[in-house]
């Protein structure tokens, strides 16, 4: 089950610029080989791989040399419970505010 494998997943510390909070998630090879390659993952897909994090995070970039490292972002001050950005704005699957 994904839950049984998820303890092998590594999570970076969060880091930020003036707009976004970022983190990266390192999937072990046995999980990475089951994922869809060559495109960004939807939240249901990365959660299905066993990635667990609060709401609002979006998979925004693929690091081609290391596709098993998932790059996530969300707007600063996103509510981790609702997954909404400040002002109740919704966030798209890549972690950007939908205007």
């Amino acid at each position: 089950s994904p839950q049984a494998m998820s303890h092998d997943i590594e999570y970076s510390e969060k880091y930020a610029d003036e707009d976004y909070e970022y983190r990266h998630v390192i999937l072990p090879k046995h999980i990475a080989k089951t994922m869809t390659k060559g495109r960004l993952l939807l939240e249901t897909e990365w959660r299905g791989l066993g990635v667990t994090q609060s709401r609002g995070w979006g998979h925004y970039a693929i690091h081609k040399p290391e596709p098993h490292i998932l790059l996530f972002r969300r707007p600063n001050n996103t509510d981790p419970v609702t997954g909404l950005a400040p002002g109740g704005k919704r966030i798209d699957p890549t972690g950007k505010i939908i205007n």
Side-chain angles (χ1 to χ4, degrees):
S1 76
Q3 283 68 37
M5 298 189 299
S6 61
H7 66 273
D8 296 332
I9 295 173
E10 292 179 54
Y11 299 85
S12 76
E13 294 298 311
K14 296 172 193 156
Y15 43 103
D17 61 21
E18 59 268 16
D19 299 314
Y20 293 100
E21 183 174 30
Y22 300 90
R23 72 148 27 134
H24 56 273
V25 174
I26 304 171
L27 300 177
K29 300 283 195 273
H30 66 273
I31 295 178
K33 69 181 184 208
T34 69
M35 70 184 244
T36 304
K37 304 287 191 298
R39 68 166 174 80
L40 298 175
L41 302 179
L42 298 171
E43 182 172 359
T44 51
E45 293 172 314
W46 53 257
R47 288 197 188 278
L49 294 171
V51 174
T52 55
Q53 50 188 355
S54 56
R55 301 202 41 207
W57 291 101
H59 183 210
Y60 75 97
I62 296 166
H63 184 48
K64 292 258 191 295
E66 299 175 299
H68 65 288
I69 300 179
L70 305 182
L71 304 173
F72 289 96
R73 70 178 171 191
R74 67 182 175 189
N76 284 328
N77 303 308
T78 293
D79 185 315
V81 176
T82 64
L84 296 174
K89 295 195 169 99
R90 291 186 315 125
I91 300 170
D92 80 9
T94 71
K96 283 203 315 222
I97 291 175
I98 299 170
N99 288 315

